[in-house]
């Protein structure tokens, strides 16, 4: 059984994600095996909010180079979570 901490790995911190927080839209890196229902339940359990919509994106690997060494970034899953009107995640307040 996966706990909410196993499903939601970390928040995504970028300029675009901070701009969308005012609209009640938050972005998280999530477990690749998690589905939308599991992500919704995990965010609601962790942050005590009501989730209205979850969109997921599988971020594919990209080639990277460091000098003569070549490799790839890892593949991961992104969740874009929309909260109910008036809800916010207090974890992000005061950071920006």
């Amino acid at each position: 059984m996966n706990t909410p901490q196993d499903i939601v790995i970390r928040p995504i911190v970028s300029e675009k994600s901070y701009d969308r927080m005012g609209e009640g839209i938050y972005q998280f890196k999530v477990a690749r095996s998690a589905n939308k229902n599991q992500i919704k339940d995990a965010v609601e359990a962790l942050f005590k909010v009501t989730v209205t919509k979850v969109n997921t994106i599988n971020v594919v690997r990209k080639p990277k180079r460091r000098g003569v060494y070549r490799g790839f970034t890892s593949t991961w899953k992104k969740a874009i979570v929309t909260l109910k009107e008036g809800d916010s995640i207090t974890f992000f307040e005061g950071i920006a």
Side-chain angles (χ1 to χ4, degrees), residues 52-89:
T52 58
K53 186 165 88 169
V54 176
N55 294 334
T56 58
I57 301 166
N58 286 312
V59 181
V60 297
R61 68 184 193 157
K62 295 191 289 188
K64 294 290 179 182
R65 221 179 102 175
R66 174 91 59 191
V68 296
Y69 301 103
R70 295 171 185 253
F72 292 91
T73 60
S74 59
T75 302
W76 55 286
K77 191 173 203 175
K78 180 195 301 189
I80 301 171
V81 178
T82 304
L83 303 182
K84 185 181 81 170
E85 188 80 27
D87 277 2
S88 67
I89 297 177

Side-chain angles (χ1 to χ4, degrees), residues 15-69:
E15 288 184 30
K16 186 173 183 178
S17 68
Y18 272 105
D19 289 343
R20 298 185 81 189
M21 284 181 200
E23 304 166 23
I25 299 172
Y26 295 85
Q27 298 180 16
F28 298 96
K29 180 177 180 180
V30 295
R32 291 192 60 211
S33 61
N35 61 36
K36 291 182 180 186
N37 291 328
Q38 291 173 330
I39 294 168
K40 176 183 176 185
D41 294 340
V43 170
E44 288 179 346
L46 286 173
F47 301 109
K48 309 294 188 272
V49 293
T50 304
V51 175
T52 58
K53 186 165 88 169
V54 176
N55 294 334
T56 58
I57 301 166
N58 286 312
V59 181
V60 297
R61 68 184 193 157
K62 295 191 289 188
K64 294 290 179 182
R65 221 179 102 175
R66 174 91 59 191
V68 296
Y69 301 103

